[in-house]
Amino acid sequence: MSFEVTITELKSALPEQGWTQDAEKTAPFLCEWRGRWHGDTPLLLLPTTTKDVAAAVKICARHKTPITVQGGNTGLVGGQIPRGEILLSTMGLNKIRETDANNMHMICEAGVSLHAVQAAADNMGLKFPLSLASEGSCSIGGNLATNAGGVHVVKYGTARALTFGVEAVLADGSIFDGLAALRKDNTGIDLSQTLIGAEGTLGIITAASLKLFPKPRECVRALVAVDSPDAALALLGLVRCGDRLSMFELIPRLGLAYVTEHMVGHKDPFTAPHPWYVLAEWELYKRQATKGSTSRASHIGGEDPQNFAANILAKAVDNGLVRDAVIANSQAQSNALLALRENLSAAQKPIGATIKHDISVPIAKVPQFIARANAAVLKLVKHCRPLPFGHLGDGNIHYNIGQPENISGADFTAWEPHINDLVYNIVDGLGGSISAEHGIGVLKKQQLARRANPAKLRMMRQIKSALDPDNILNPRVLL
Ligand SMILES: Cc1cc2nc3c(=O)[nH]c(=O)nc-3n(C[C@H](O)[C@H](O)[C@H](O)COP(=O)(O)OP(=O)(O)OC[C@H]3O[C@@H](n4cnc5c(N)ncnc54)[C@H](O)[C@@H]3O)c2cc1C
């Protein structure tokens, strides 16, 4: 591809700091963090205003020049890495434009990191509940483009549920403004929601109006040992406690062993091993304190966090669902329990090659999915090491499979297409989704094309060609 004319026009339309062709500066934008995708671009655009994004897209539209959009570059399906297209990074769009504690909303630009959004909400005495292990690096624009999930979906929903609307530059360079922070707006098709989850194929999100929530007075976490995914599911039914359950993550023994053996500073909090674990978190809110009372329990409305968790778990203990449990009694212990979950993926690295899936099925079918998928992959590749873990509370399992010790990584990854088909056939059979959180990107395009409902695919293609007839926005992604 040669885009000489476009490049000349882009360079003169944007301020000098708004673009670069310097190989050293561009390099970090061209490689995905795990090294799975490497790309190239003739020009990296670094706009700092929506107006500059619009001006750049207008030029590209006129010349039908393709653009790849990138936020924090933490995506796991390759959509943010260019293959010769112009690369537009949103990381210069980094301002928080508006905060309103009464209306409980914040308007921030697309390149603001998720961590910065959380911190700004916290400063307002409120909470932005989206939480991912990549939150220090990922951008809010990327979170919305991928409709990110994370550990609090069980209570708050995915990124789209946390958003009033977005501002976006469309493929013709026009600006769509959906930033009004309205809790009710029935004026037709919700265009912001159409852009959310579209992985940058319909528009470049330049800002978002985000919903904020009351900040809990305290959170309490417990790591609960159980016999099986069935027991974990039954536990979920017993511990929801209205809307206070804010995390419910499944961890297999193998995963806990990897984290404690392969990563420094992590300890198994139990004295004996157990087959499965659940990391649960509940949020407690302040209630009116009893007059004159100074105890910690009255301070948080009569609920001491440890007692609260112990009481909730008591019924499950009586029902024989719980083998053992550790309830965090300090912030440090609470963080340590969360770190066991957050490091599961990284702790798998030392065992060699892994084949990963990010699937969802109806919550009640998670145990069936795990049993069937484990049996199928072990039959296909003897001694491979399945590691199903993650968001049981949302029916979303990260189904990673480690290579057997007796074959090479390359020999194992040669099985990837067969293993994918096995796993996705089981997912389809259970009425699930082949991408629960990470999106389709370039990684799962073929699987989507083969498996999606034909009417859904047709509608998606019609929307894409209506909004981007020359296919210039993320042209290799999703469809
Ligand atoms: C350690 C780790 C843990 C993770 N955990 C989770 C998790 O729990 N849940 C989860 O959902 N994901 C998770 N992810 C995946 C990833 O962090 C999310 O997909 C995140 O939302 C991507 O944001 P980003 O800014 O890095 O986007 P990028 O990686 O830059 O881009 C991702 C996609 O969005 C598009 N895009 C980016 N910004 C925009 C924009 N402003 N407008 C339009 N399109 C845009 C890109 O073109 C690309 O297709 C994890 C990743 C890592 C590395």
Side-chain angles (χ1 to χ4, degrees):
M1 283 182 268
S2 164
F3 308 128
E4 265 173 47
V5 182
T6 320
I7 289 169
T8 310
E9 285 187 29
L10 285 168
K11 286 186 346 193
S12 64
L14 292 184
E16 216 171 292
Q17 315 87 297
W19 57 269
T20 182
Q21 289 179 303
D22 181 296
E24 211 172 301
K25 287 189 189 148
T26 310
F29 296 82
L30 301 179
C31 180
E32 183 253 1
W33 72 287
R34 294 167 303 184
R36 182 162 186 169
W37 287 279
H38 297 271
D40 60 292
T41 184
L43 180 70
L44 169 61
L45 300 179
L46 298 158
T48 55
T49 64
T50 301
K51 245 174 86 192
D52 281 350
V53 176
V57 175
K58 227 169 231 163
I59 292 168
C60 291
R62 193 157 9 95
H63 297 291
K64 300 188 186 357
T65 303
I67 306 169
T68 286
V69 189
Q70 188 178 103
N73 192 11
T74 67
L76 298 172
V77 286
Q80 73 279 16
I81 302 296
R83 275 281 159 85
E85 301 93 23
I86 304 287
L87 178 60
L88 187 146
S89 165
T90 60
M91 295 316 277
L93 301 165
N94 55 14
K95 288 176 273 310
I96 292 181
R97 291 185 191 165
E98 184 178 308
T99 56
D100 183 338
N102 288 328
N103 197 47
M104 295 172 63
H105 84 269
M106 175 195 304
I107 295 180
C108 68
E109 295 183 344
V112 177
S113 76
L114 174 55
H115 181 73
V117 171
Q118 293 165 344
D122 194 60
N123 282 339
M124 295 165 69
L126 294 169
K127 172 170 177 137
F128 185 65
L130 190 67
S131 177
L132 326 176
S134 56
E135 63 201 24
S137 310
C138 64
S139 69
I140 201 71
N143 296 152
L144 291 173
T146 58
N147 185 28
V151 288
H152 288 149
V153 174
V154 68
K155 174 165 177 172
Y156 294 98
T158 58
R160 68 167 74 251
L162 310 176
T163 310
F164 286 111
V166 300
E167 174 192 87
V169 170
L170 305 180
D172 60 359
S174 61
I175 299 172
F176 164 74
D177 180 352
L179 291 177
L182 302 175
R183 280 161 210 281
K184 290 186 165 180
D185 176 16
N186 277 346
T187 52
I189 297 171
D190 190 329
L191 297 169
S192 288
Q193 288 293 339
T194 308
L195 291 159
I196 295 171
E199 300 185 39
T201 57
L202 303 181
I204 301 175
I205 295 170
T206 47
S209 175
L210 302 173
K211 292 181 187 170
L212 307 179
F213 295 81
K215 185 155 73 172
R217 187 70 191 81
E218 293 208 36
C219 290
V220 56
R221 290 187 189 130
L223 190 68
V224 185
V226 293
D227 276 323
S228 62
D230 277 308
L233 186 66
L235 182 69
L236 175 64
L238 288 179
V239 303
R240 278 191 187 275
C241 197
D243 68 350
R244 292 203 240 186
L245 182 74
S246 50
M247 192 185 292
F248 198 84
E249 299 286 310
L250 184 68
I251 302 173
R253 173 68 210 161
L254 187 62
L256 196 81
Y258 284 161
V259 177
T260 52
E261 284 162 24
H262 299 162
M263 306 203 58
V264 182
H266 299 281
K267 280 203 186 111
D268 183 343
F270 296 104
T271 47
H274 298 284
W276 293 86
Y277 307 88
V278 166
L279 177 64
E281 177 192 87
W282 297 269
E283 292 183 342
L284 310 183
Y285 292 86
K286 190 173 180 179
R287 291 212 204 111
Q288 201 67 46
T290 321
K291 210 175 169 189
S293 169
T294 52
S295 74
R296 183 160 186 255
S298 69
H299 173 61
I300 60 159
E303 291 170 311
D304 173 78
Q306 282 76 44
N307 285 347
F308 172 85
N311 287 338
I312 290 195
L313 290 172
K315 197 167 171 203
V317 173
D318 290 345
N319 288 5
L321 286 176
V322 173
R323 292 168 63 110
D324 202 352
V326 171
I327 299 171
N329 60 19
S330 66
Q331 193 54 51
Q333 195 181 11
S334 186
N335 293 345
L337 293 184
L338 182 61
L340 292 173
R341 158 65 184 91
E342 289 197 326
N343 282 294
L344 281 172
S345 230
Q348 239 188 331
K349 269 191 184 159
I351 69 156
T354 48
I355 296 173
K356 299 181 191 232
H357 309 89
D358 160 42
I359 65 92
S360 68
V361 293
I363 297 172
K365 294 185 177 170
V366 168
Q368 259 186 78
F369 165 76
I370 293 175
R372 284 198 209 168
N374 283 357
V377 298
L378 280 161
K379 192 171 166 202
L380 186 71
V381 186
K382 271 205 180 94
H383 310 301
C384 68
R385 289 171 279 179
L387 187 75
F389 69 93
H391 317 296
L392 175 57
D394 319 323
N396 172 197
I397 293 298
H398 297 305
Y399 191 70
N400 293 359
I401 308 157
Q403 68 169 87
E405 285 177 49
N406 57 343
I407 65 173
S408 73
D411 283 348
F412 178 58
T413 39
W415 285 103
E416 186 162 9
H418 308 284
I419 289 182
N420 288 349
D421 277 342
L422 271 185
V423 172
Y424 293 146
N425 286 345
I426 294 166
V427 168
D428 283 346
L430 294 172
S433 164
I434 62 164
S435 182
E437 303 202 293
H438 301 154
I440 297 297
V442 294
L443 181 68
K444 296 185 185 168
K445 250 169 42 163
Q446 274 82 19
Q447 290 287 356
L448 181 78
R450 276 170 51 199
R451 292 170 187 278
N453 173 295
K456 174 180 169 154
L457 268 181
R458 196 176 59 246
M459 282 168 75
M460 291 207 293
R461 288 191 180 122
Q462 284 168 343
I463 293 170
K464 170 73 174 169
S465 62
L467 290 184
D468 183 11
D470 294 315
N471 192 23
I472 63 162
L473 293 180
N474 277 1
R476 294 170 299 101
V477 172
L478 186 56
L479 289 168

